Amino acid sequence: MSHNTFGHLFRVTTWGESHGPAIGCVVDGCPPGIALDETRIQPFLDARRPGTSRFVTQRREADAVRILSGTFDAGAGAVTTGTPIALMIENTDQRSGDYAGIAAQYRPGHADFTYDAKYGVRDPRGGGRSSARETACRVAAGAVARAVLAHSLGEGVAIRGALVAIGGDGIDRAAWDWVETTRNPFWCPDAAAAARWERALDAARKAGSSLGAVVEVRAQGIPAGLGAPVYGKLDAELAGALMSINAVKGVEIGEGFAAAALRGEDNADAMRAGAQGPVFASNHAGGILGGISTGAEIVARFAVKPTSSILTPVPSLDREGREIEVRTTGRHDPCVGIRAAPVGEAMMACVLADALLRARGQGAPRGL
Amino acid sequence: MSHNTFGHLFRVTTWGESHGPAIGCVVDGCPPGIALDETRIQPFLDARRPGTSRFVTQRREADAVRILSGTFDAGAGAVTTGTPIALMIENTDQRSGDYAGIAAQYRPGHADFTYDAKYGVRDPRGGGRSSARETACRVAAGAVARAVLAHSLGEGVAIRGALVAIGGDGIDRAAWDWVETTRNPFWCPDAAAAARWERALDAARKAGSSLGAVVEVRAQGIPAGLGAPVYGKLDAELAGALMSINAVKGVEIGEGFAAAALRGEDNADAMRAGAQGPVFASNHAGGILGGISTGAEIVARFAVKPTSSILTPVPSLDREGREIEVRTTGRHDPCVGIRAAPVGEAMMACVLADALLRARGQGAPRGL
Amino acid sequence: MSHNTFGHLFRVTTWGESHGPAIGCVVDGCPPGIALDETRIQPFLDARRPGTSRFVTQRREADAVRILSGTFDAGAGAVTTGTPIALMIENTDQRSGDYAGIAAQYRPGHADFTYDAKYGVRDPRGGGRSSARETACRVAAGAVARAVLAHSLGEGVAIRGALVAIGGDGIDRAAWDWVETTRNPFWCPDAAAAARWERALDAARKAGSSLGAVVEVRAQGIPAGLGAPVYGKLDAELAGALMSINAVKGVEIGEGFAAAALRGEDNADAMRAGAQGPVFASNHAGGILGGISTGAEIVARFAVKPTSSILTPVPSLDREGREIEVRTTGRHDPCVGIRAAPVGEAMMACVLADALLRARGQGAPRGL
Amino acid sequence: MSHNTFGHLFRVTTWGESHGPAIGCVVDGCPPGIALDETRIQPFLDARRPGTSRFVTQRREADAVRILSGTFDAGAGAVTTGTPIALMIENTDQRSGDYAGIAAQYRPGHADFTYDAKYGVRDPRGGGRSSARETACRVAAGAVARAVLAHSLGEGVAIRGALVAIGGDGIDRAAWDWVETTRNPFWCPDAAAAARWERALDAARKAGSSLGAVVEVRAQGIPAGLGAPVYGKLDAELAGALMSINAVKGVEIGEGFAAAALRGEDNADAMRAGAQGPVFASNHAGGILGGISTGAEIVARFAVKPTSSILTPVPSLDREGREIEVRTTGRHDPCVGIRAAPVGEAMMACVLADALLRARGQGAPRGL
């Protein structure tokens, strides 16, 4: 309900601006007794961190997360206590001066104009609240969500993301290799595509341009029965979660938009009897039917628009309504989609943790 | 939080199964003093109603809506009183017998298996709660949302939907004519495409198959400043709303997935000074930046999978886990996407009415 | 968030005006597989029904409840399906004419002026939405909540209410007898007090006056561990729930206001080791510590003001701001507190059912 | 919905344990453009702070609040931006060692047993999350709520609290003097009562005992029309808010429990025509009718039980279920009710700010 809160029983409230003293979040509703300390969160922040390759913003921050509440160590390692978990990340590399010149400008593709239209006031430093820096909190909260899922469903749960296209150049799905996503700076599961993307991104940056991307996130090990009918559909929750990530313009589940071009018999996922229950012969549904998980892998994709901050000048307005041209210099990712992969994973983890707690609350599915 | 409630300040709670005595909804949070009686709701239900052409289910229902609460006529016509508006539609053509045979089967592509996995019990008659019949309540609530928007923003607000593709065959956007959407049974804005779709659907039905569709919904007359940062983004709310419609597998805003293939300078919407404020030279953003409306037309699309109920047999299981083949006879739309257009409009209207009330609550945007 | 919705996971949304065609509610979040048909709800409505004695309003309504959704009978009796349960009660004895004369008046002690101040429009017939008639829906929803509690916690759960004072004349607690509450029209557990109250109420009515009351509600069989810290405290939820009943002006838990006059050692509830876990030697806490149930009986009381509709004239205003005197004729209870007892029980049942589902959602308390 | 979040549109989420590194809160939904910096919050924390007299805990903390987000200073002083306001207070005087001995004990009257029953794990240091230290965050959030009310309703809004009884010894209401509440350490508006209370508290402490208290909070300058029907009643929101304060066992509005002993004509508040609208000749209703504010002063009271931490030994159990006696040494208030006054004020401010925003969202009351 709150504009800055996500989830129902597993709830994440984030706060903070790009250039304030810190950003953070409060994770409320986490069950008690789950092992949690900073070492279980920091690796996910490190993976998302800026400055790790020449393809992401050169802003350098340690992004060190601190747990301020909600855990207690009675001697056997810190565990969650069921009370709210406050996480904080200090902003250490702010360089507010970089942005002083554009405080009075509306950067095309950014939220400058709309924040002003809505609030009449905004923090212009680095985009303020609209900065993608907020997503660091999502990644931190996602790490807590992963701990919840692993605690309840076992270590077989895996939530992973990969870029499947940059600038319209898609991967060869036959070459998909999860290990490869850790070897290149693009979370790309196809080594050949990664090599092409490297060249494309270098060219785009040289041209003062930017590229969009498509990210795919998948969850393995999720049992059938999570989600709910009607407005609490698991796919509806995922769609809202993924669309809330900065720069995302589209979300799809399973076959997605391609399903609209299929015939009924080609889109059907045949069910067969497996050793541990029903098995689906295909997964056009992306693991969700009627808003409820089927037990198959949950598959979602989202489209990230090209970075709006580009060197190429774009006609725009200033706050007084005068026509200007905006040309953005400074530290910016040539493809913001690259850093969106861990954020998409985190949102999927949060949605699933929330769905798990909600399902339990309603006494279903059986056995959970 | 509730699985069957949609919205925050303008809240819609729906109830009812396909073959129960009635379906209905409660619309809470509607401001007082807005003219409302059944004549302002019924036309939208009539447009969605089954049985209106040979391309939609032959189930025949009057779908007559009754207002049971929340309005009062002090002599000058009924107006809303600010109290909850209960709407009810009786189910008059239920034919439960049709479905008795498949109560123990899991129909592929339907929620039969997942409802059982979650609840251990389900109403199998016509899909029970998972039936698209629930969407009649959305359309009714959407009519109330339209009244809220018109009351606050003026009659310039227009929320309209159109099918832009069926079975992978897209319209010619240059031929777009809103009037045409009322002349063919497909909400198709391109007469030539409508003619092709008619042939394709006849062929699909004859083959015992079905087709998917893509629906576009647009809102004109929405001022800048609606929506909110982070998790309350207007596009995130729309994505969740549209993805919650039965059979929807993808949602996109403005340029959508195509944006991921554009370069930054090609995706940028230049701003120019207009007579009544900023004007956008293009609308790749679909009227939303940073989760907040820009004042440009709001544009969303969603993909609807082909009808899962087909004559072609599909391997499946029964409730005891035995392998069977399911072949669905009975009254079914060859393309469920056709009837999704008014539902998409209704969800967009609800999201915008809710965003309007929330924005006002927070004292923004100025002037609303 | 919604003004007409109560609860979090077990959610009740009510609708309807005193003199509209019907009133009703939607109960969402009820777990599946619980036996439920009208016969499990109607007895509670019958107990609350007007016209059952000369001490409650003579409005005569069957108050027959219908279940419109959310249950299915597969042959072994109807059970809940996990989908929203819509309940409806038709208004059959409306006599709107009775109220026509006072449509333009502000009845002292009623919500007439405040509804107008808030909404600028109101349904004046019988108090419209502010009528105590709405509480019939609470009683119906409470019956569903009882079914949830019994299903999960066993038949040992008992939620009962009793009047402990009318017009300042309190019962003798030593004479408390639950059976007696069903023998007199006052839900009075003390036969001697009931006899005195009968005389006092007859005298008050004869004098055109009215009396207030104090109601006590108790829940037995609730395990330790329901509720939550801080804002989700079980006592805070109960306080909000009971204060939301019409005409209630005070709520207390356990020792309540009297605790403020005790010394620490006198208010302490000593704990001893019992056969099935901790036992409390006293229950000043009313079964709740730190917002969480202790396993002892949960005890709450609430104060109901005297009926505002009295024959004695009271200075007031009309809608145009002119000074008038209001004297209320028609069918009114001389003590609205009498009919509040089943409503208080119902609210306690709803709070506890919700707390049970929420606790389960968060994986606690252990064993539930 | 969240256990640690309070409010709907003006939402406060608190976090932190008594002996963790810090406590804090996130205030979301605050309208933009309101002057806010630490100097507008700190005075309220200073007033609540421990160690200010010998009658409150000797724990000494600066309780210095920091604003970490949600404001921006464009040169004319910091104002809110509409984004979440994160407030943090570091814990500087923790002395965890004091509590090590009782980690395995259940202190009577405290949440030790119930937290264990619910969560199976707890932070025992200083009561962890159940410590009254959490209320510092409420006071800080209340200061923001006051700024919202003053910004919207003018400086005429005054929300003030006073103790009206300690240990059963009530004030002389005829002697009420708001200035006096700032002169004695008891927030007592009656100098004579304050002198008596001083003696009583000294005696109680000497005896190793403790006393309860009754606190009254009042809001002046609140217009008619705030609040809502049914479950969103202003008095229901207040009751839940005040009952959520540590150690509170009862809440009443206006005449409260005393109303239950009045006759209808004696409890009626006559309305007369005043220069600026309706005037009430009395205020038995405490400024609320039908859940909506009348424009009269809003009056609530709450009962605080005597401090549970006393030197007098009380029979109890340890975590293994063995019978023990608990005797609490260390720094504790002999009457926790004293420090509850500023907390009650803060909760009332938060409830009213939230009601104001919600009312505006629904387009009512007119003119706000």
Side-chain angles (χ1 to χ4, degrees), chain B residues 9 361-362, chain C residues 1, chain D residues 7-11 28-30 354 357-358:
Chain B
L9 286 190
Q362 214 189 347
Chain C
M1 166 74 62
Chain D
H8 305 271
L9 285 191
F10 182 87
R11 288 168 72 82
D28 197 12
C30 181
D354 190 35
L357 302 191
R358 294 170 88 185

Side-chain angles (χ1 to χ4, degrees), chain D residues 132-357:
Chain D
R133 180 139 186 78
E134 185 271 344
T135 61
C137 298
R138 303 185 186 219
V139 171
V144 181
R146 288 174 196 266
V148 170
L149 292 167
H151 183 81
S152 297
L153 302 175
E155 295 296 334
V157 174
I159 298 170
R160 291 178 291 189
L163 266 75
V164 296
I166 283 187
D169 176 13
I171 62 161
D172 173 8
R173 287 188 167 264
W176 191 296
D177 176 5
W178 280 113
V179 174
E180 182 59 32
T181 60
T182 63
R183 290 200 194 113
N184 61 67
F186 311 114
W187 311 90
C188 180
D190 167 6
R196 298 194 306 271
W197 294 352
E198 183 164 348
R199 291 190 295 273
L201 282 163
D202 277 335
R205 192 169 36 187
K206 208 164 291 177
S209 181
S210 62
L211 300 178
V214 178
V215 181
E216 183 165 313
V217 283
R218 292 169 171 258
Q220 279 187 320
I222 302 301
L226 297 197
V230 193
Y231 307 108
K233 286 190 169 87
L234 190 57
D235 33 5
E237 298 278 334
L238 276 172
L242 297 174
M243 193 69 92
S244 79
I245 301 173
N246 306 47
V248 172
K249 300 305 285 184
V251 177
E252 56 185 13
I253 306 292
E255 202 63 37
F257 275 86
L262 292 179
R263 297 173 73 85
E265 58 275 23
D266 297 327
N267 188 55
D269 296 320
M271 292 178 78
R272 297 286 79 184
Q276 280 110 41
V279 173
F280 290 86
S282 55
N283 191 17
H284 297 286
I288 302 173
L289 283 175
I292 299 172
S293 63
T294 65
E297 193 175 31
I298 294 176
V299 181
R301 270 178 307 283
F302 56 96
V304 186
K305 68 178 182 183
T307 312
S308 296
S309 298
I310 50 177
L311 282 166
T312 311
V314 180
S316 188
L317 300 176
D318 67 11
R319 293 191 77 187
E320 272 66 48
R322 288 174 298 228
E323 301 193 338
I324 56 172
E325 294 227 314
V326 173
R327 181 173 171 278
T328 308
T329 56
R331 304 162 299 174
H332 294 288
D333 299 15
C335 173
V336 285
I338 296 172
R339 291 209 285 147
V343 182
E345 291 178 9
M347 295 311 290
M348 183 175 263
C350 288
V351 166
L352 292 170
D354 190 35
L356 176 71
L357 302 191

Side-chain angles (χ1 to χ4, degrees), chain A residues 28-42:
Chain A
D28 197 12
C30 181
I34 300 177
L36 188 74
D37 58 21
E38 282 89 350
T39 65
R40 292 175 189 261
I41 303 176
Q42 193 62 49

Side-chain angles (χ1 to χ4, degrees), chain B residues 2 4 11 17 28 70 72 83, chain C residues 2 4 11 17 28 70 83 124:
Chain B
S2 177
N4 296 281
R11 286 168 74 82
E17 277 80 40
D28 198 11
F72 183 67
T83 61
Chain C
S2 177
N4 296 282
R11 287 169 73 84
E17 278 80 40
D28 197 12
T83 62

Side-chain angles (χ1 to χ4, degrees), chain A residues 36-352:
Chain A
L36 188 74
D37 58 21
E38 282 89 350
T39 65
R40 292 175 189 261
I41 303 176
Q42 193 62 49
F44 295 99
L45 285 165
D46 292 344
R48 173 202 165 278
R49 196 170 57 204
T52 47
S53 84
R54 74 177 183 277
F55 303 105
V56 294
T57 176
Q58 293 309 299
R59 173 171 172 159
R60 295 192 177 278
E61 310 241 21
D63 275 1
V65 67
R66 278 185 72 199
I67 299 177
L68 296 177
S69 68
T71 62
F72 182 66
D73 187 344
V79 297
T80 58
T81 58
T83 61
I85 301 165
L87 305 174
M88 186 168 71
I89 300 166
E90 289 188 52
N91 289 330
T92 53
D93 180 20
Q94 305 168 11
R95 297 201 208 166
S96 294
D98 286 359
Y99 296 90
I102 59 165
Q105 303 185 346
Y106 291 142
R107 293 171 299 156
H110 281 282
D112 300 346
F113 164 65
T114 54
Y115 269 56
D116 252 8
K118 180 175 177 65
Y119 295 120
V121 57
R122 73 189 155 96
D123 180 345
R125 300 168 300 162
R129 182 71 180 145
S130 71
S131 163
R133 180 140 186 76
E134 186 270 343
T135 60
C137 298
R138 304 185 185 219
V139 171
V144 181
R146 287 175 197 264
V148 171
L149 292 167
H151 182 81
S152 298
L153 302 175
E155 295 296 334
V157 175
I159 299 171
R160 293 178 290 188
L163 266 74
V164 297
I166 283 187
D169 176 12
I171 62 162
D172 173 8
R173 285 187 169 264
W176 191 296
D177 176 5
W178 280 113
V179 174
E180 181 60 30
T181 60
T182 63
R183 290 202 194 113
N184 62 66
F186 311 115
W187 311 88
C188 180
D190 167 5
R196 297 194 306 271
W197 294 353
E198 183 164 348
R199 292 190 294 273
L201 281 162
D202 278 333
R205 191 169 36 188
K206 209 165 290 178
S209 181
S210 62
L211 301 178
V214 177
V215 182
E216 183 165 313
V217 282
R218 291 170 172 258
Q220 278 187 321
I222 303 301
L226 297 197
V230 192
Y231 307 109
K233 285 190 170 88
L234 189 58
D235 34 3
E237 298 278 333
L238 276 172
L242 297 174
M243 193 68 95
S244 79
I245 301 172
N246 307 47
V248 172
K249 302 304 285 185
V251 177
E252 57 185 12
I253 306 293
E255 201 64 39
F257 275 86
L262 292 179
R263 297 174 74 86
E265 60 274 23
D266 297 326
N267 188 55
D269 296 319
M271 292 177 78
R272 296 287 78 184
Q276 280 110 42
V279 173
F280 290 86
S282 55
N283 192 16
H284 298 286
I288 303 174
L289 283 175
I292 299 172
S293 62
T294 64
E297 193 175 31
I298 295 176
V299 181
R301 271 179 305 284
F302 56 96
V304 187
K305 69 180 182 181
T307 312
S308 295
S309 297
I310 49 178
L311 282 166
T312 312
V314 179
S316 189
L317 301 175
D318 67 12
R319 293 192 77 188
E320 272 67 48
R322 288 173 298 226
E323 301 192 338
I324 57 172
E325 293 227 315
V326 173
R327 181 174 171 279
T328 307
T329 56
R331 305 162 299 175
H332 295 289
D333 298 14
C335 173
V336 285
I338 296 172
R339 290 210 288 146
V343 183
E345 290 177 10
M347 295 311 290
M348 183 175 263
C350 288
V351 167
L352 291 170

Side-chain angles (χ1 to χ4, degrees), chain B residues 68-96:
Chain B
L68 296 177
S69 68
T71 62
F72 183 67
D73 187 345
V79 296
T80 58
T81 58
T83 61
I85 301 166
L87 305 174
M88 187 170 70
I89 301 166
E90 289 187 51
N91 290 331
T92 55
D93 179 20
Q94 303 168 12
R95 298 200 209 168
S96 294

